[in-house]
Amino acid sequence: MQARTKRILALSTVGLLVVLVAVAGVVYALVRNLPPRLPEITAFAHDRTERVVPLGYCNLYLEDCAGGGITELDVPPGYPLQLSMPPEIVNAPWRLFAIYEDPSGNAIIMEQTHRAGETHAVTVPSSEELQLAGVEIQLPSAVVDEEGLPHARAVWSIKTA
């Protein structure tokens, strides 16, 4: 290889490295100031999918809280609601409350508890007799009430009716 070709190749390599370092610096500057992304549940019902952000999300000691709102997803009577959990829920103990409404309008709450690592997805049934009105998923905190029960540090809420 000629000296001139070697010099052009070396200068091209250095130029490419400078551009790569500059791009990496710009990407880092843009990403470092973004707020942390809150864990989302994927909810599916009746051919529709929704990403569910937490209504409230705090650290283990109920500090540094953030959150969004209640997600709405239509679940017709007799159709199930399917939920896919993110690692932040799967890797911790968690509770699911399913709120149903009977034909006379009375609310019926059913609770499921799950151990860490036990469940990655849940199907919440619905029927003509018990219409699914909503679902709430909770992660416990290290803070307990006077009865020794933990306060929820994170809550995802889905209105289905």
Side-chain angles (χ1 to χ4, degrees), residues 21-135:
V21 168
V23 168
V26 169
V27 169
Y28 174 75
L30 292 173
V31 172
R32 74 174 172 190
N33 293 328
L34 289 176
R37 193 163 162 230
L38 298 176
E40 297 176 338
I41 294 172
T42 302
F44 176 79
H46 198 56
D47 295 328
R48 189 163 166 230
T49 302
E50 287 289 334
R51 305 292 289 173
V52 182
V53 298
L55 177 61
Y57 190 84
C58 304
N59 70 15
L60 201 54
Y61 301 99
L62 301 180
E63 304 162 335
D64 301 322
C65 299
I70 296 174
T71 300
E72 294 189 25
L73 179 60
D74 185 41
V75 180
Y79 284 87
L81 171 66
Q82 297 172 321
L83 304 172
S84 178
M85 305 300 172
E88 292 85 354
I89 295 176
V90 171
N91 296 328
W94 55 281
R95 298 184 299 182
L96 180 141
F97 295 94
I99 299 98
Y100 293 93
E101 192 173 288
D102 69 14
S104 60
N106 298 318
I108 299 167
I109 300 172
M110 296 184 185
E111 178 182 356
Q112 298 176 9
T113 57
H114 300 270
R115 293 190 304 261
E118 169 181 84
T119 308
H120 296 266
V122 175
T123 299
V124 183
S126 180
S127 68
E128 295 290 333
E129 297 80 34
L130 285 178
Q131 168 63 35
L132 184 62
V135 172

